[in-house]
Amino acid sequence: MFPLMFPACPAAPALPLEPSSPPGAGAMRVAIIGAGVIGLSSALCIHEQFHSLVPSLELEVYADHFTPHTTSDGAAGLWQPYLSDHGNLQETLWNKETFDYLLRHLHSPAAKEMGLFLISGYNLFTEPVEDPSWKNIVLGFRNLTPKELELFPGYSHGWFNTALMLEGRSYLPWLTNRLTQRGVKFFHKKVESFQELFSQGVDVVLNCSGMRAGDLQPDPELQPGRGQIIKVLAPWVKHFIITHNLKSGIYNSPYIIPGSEFTVLGGIYQHGNWSEENSAKDHKSIWDSCCRLLPTLQKAKIVEEWSGLRPARPTIRLERESIRLGNLQAEVIHNYGHGGFGITIHWGCAMAAARLFGSILQERKQLASPPGPRL
């Protein structure tokens, strides 16, 4: 068997291609499909809440891509939801739970290893807009003054606030290490069906497969939202700058997000485009528009280009589904369709998935009563 190592996570173990030994007798086996931020955080939340209540709990993570090769690794990592929640108060609550969870970690010794830090910056518009649903979640939200708007010719309205950065290329290895320390097993394997796992004796499947969810179960609402970014060395950039064009839609105008090492330039959102190849046309569009927004970027050194597919859906699919397999009733918890804000909403969704898992345990009399979220 050819083991694979996590290149960005030296403490993590080799990944077997198949489960190497049968589970313990009477074990409660949970398989998580997907090793992006949604899959890993859901696994951690479930293990933290239930391992002491269900001693036989065994978690297994299956994925064909691990850090640093997931969509989550490509994300800049800025905590910011879409401008409008379209009246979906549940998603706003999940966003808030994630921000508050991260804020509590901000001054912990783990924050640097997690890739977590504060960042302030600007959202810019060419016309007046309503304040966003998340204005009281972030820190110090306010409208821009006329003098500030003079810094950005062509923009007549905007906001300033302090939010959080959570860089996937640090956070995913951190989550992986936490899970490894807890005895969670990782398998480098492309799962072709839920049946495949249930036939191996898995009790519950968590479907956190992002864009691959449509392969496991048809979902016409799930569509790729292709993005492309350029990473540059520009240590003089200290604030994020996100522009908005209400006519072209989310992420289709330039944005500049400085990270701990690189600054991310973007501004591409192509609904329905499955290509993961970098496009020279999109590169030129991003570079030219970001340099117009911040001319000093013309001196920045390009270090990397990346493109990926955001798992876009009108609403996140986070629900339980019972599947009949012969005489067996199999349980699947779906947690996918987070679009371009997986990092922004991940922990709220992980807690919701853990509550659904608790309800399964209670129904199976494997738990006296499901715990509330333990943060």
Side-chain angles (χ1 to χ4, degrees):
M1 189 183 299
F2 183 72
L4 296 172
M5 301 297 290
F6 288 107
C9 189
L15 296 177
L17 293 169
E18 298 283 353
S20 54
S21 57
M28 176 65 173
R29 286 179 66 195
V30 180
I32 296 93
I33 306 174
V37 69
I38 300 299
L40 297 182
S41 60
S42 297
L44 182 60
C45 194
I46 284 174
H47 202 276
E48 283 183 348
Q49 290 192 29
F50 294 105
H51 78 282
S52 60
L53 299 166
V54 186
S56 63
L57 186 63
E58 293 186 6
L59 266 61
E60 307 159 10
V61 177
Y62 293 81
D64 53 352
H65 291 99
F66 286 88
T67 185
H69 304 296
T70 75
T71 305
S72 303
D73 289 284
L78 173 67
W79 188 99
Q80 180 164 303
Y82 289 173
L83 293 185
S84 170
D85 62 4
H86 300 291
N88 190 332
L89 295 178
Q90 179 62 78
E91 291 189 6
T92 299
L93 177 61
W94 289 333
N95 288 328
K96 181 181 187 304
E97 287 172 340
T98 304
F99 190 90
D100 293 347
Y101 166 78
L102 294 173
L103 204 58
R104 285 193 293 276
H105 277 81
L106 186 64
H107 293 305
S108 77
K112 185 177 188 306
E113 196 183 342
M114 290 170 72
L116 176 65
F117 52 93
L118 288 170
I119 186 170
S120 303
Y122 304 88
N123 280 273
L124 302 172
F125 303 85
T126 55
E127 58 191 284
V129 294
E130 288 184 7
D131 288 349
S133 59
W134 40 266
K135 73 173 195 176
N136 294 319
I137 301 175
V138 295
L139 309 177
F141 180 93
R142 62 175 177 78
N143 284 285
L144 295 182
T145 64
K147 191 164 187 178
E148 285 173 309
L149 285 167
E150 288 174 13
L151 297 170
F152 307 105
Y155 294 94
S156 57
H157 183 78
W159 312 320
F160 187 88
N161 66 267
T162 298
L164 292 163
M165 281 286 282
L166 183 66
E167 295 185 311
R169 63 196 183 92
S170 297
Y171 188 50
L172 266 61
W174 181 82
L175 287 171
T176 302
N177 277 332
R178 292 281 300 277
L179 291 167
T180 303
Q181 289 161 9
R182 289 171 166 270
V184 174
K185 296 183 174 66
F186 292 82
F187 301 102
H188 190 278
K189 185 177 192 305
K190 184 176 182 178
V191 175
E192 302 292 349
S193 68
F194 300 136
Q195 167 89 34
E196 182 184 323
L197 294 173
F198 289 124
S199 66
Q200 294 172 12
V202 166
D203 295 286
V204 178
V205 167
L206 258 79
N207 177 18
C208 305
S209 54
M211 257 336 295
R212 280 217 56 235
D215 296 340
L216 295 166
Q217 187 181 79
D219 183 353
E221 293 193 303
L222 180 67
Q223 293 290 325
R226 181 184 174 276
Q228 183 167 323
I229 58 168
I230 303 171
K231 291 185 179 180
V232 302
L233 283 174
W236 58 88
V237 179
K238 304 298 184 188
H239 295 91
F240 64 82
I241 307 169
I242 300 174
T243 69
H244 301 271
N245 183 329
L246 302 184
K247 294 180 182 65
S248 63
I250 188 73
Y251 294 140
N252 261 329
S253 56
Y255 61 81
I256 299 164
I257 303 175
S260 59
E261 194 174 351
F262 308 118
T263 293
V264 171
L265 315 182
I268 298 293
Y269 187 101
Q270 296 161 347
H271 194 76
N273 184 346
W274 285 89
S275 172
E276 293 182 76
E277 298 297 317
N278 291 328
S279 153
K281 180 185 173 191
D282 292 338
H283 171 99
K284 185 176 188 320
S285 169
I286 294 167
W287 184 256
D288 291 351
S289 60
C290 286
C291 286
R292 276 196 302 273
L293 183 62
L294 197 65
T296 60
L297 286 174
Q298 293 171 29
K299 302 291 186 187
K301 179 186 176 186
I302 295 174
V303 292
E304 187 185 344
E305 288 199 64
W306 180 89
S307 57
L309 307 179
R310 307 173 179 97
R313 208 172 177 276
T315 58
I316 292 167
R317 187 178 185 198
L318 212 173
E319 62 185 3
R320 256 181 79 179
E321 182 183 14
S322 296
I323 297 177
R324 296 297 301 181
L325 296 172
N327 296 325
L328 293 175
Q329 178 171 306
E331 295 287 348
V332 177
I333 297 170
H334 299 284
N335 186 7
Y336 69 84
H338 303 81
F341 57 102
I343 281 176
T344 295
I345 205 168
H346 75 279
W347 194 255
C349 290
M351 290 200 301
R355 286 191 290 272
L356 292 174
F357 179 69
S359 69
I360 294 170
L361 291 178
Q362 193 174 23
E363 287 169 19
R364 295 187 177 189
K365 305 290 189 266
Q366 288 178 268
L367 184 65
S369 59
R374 214 171 50 203
L375 307 180

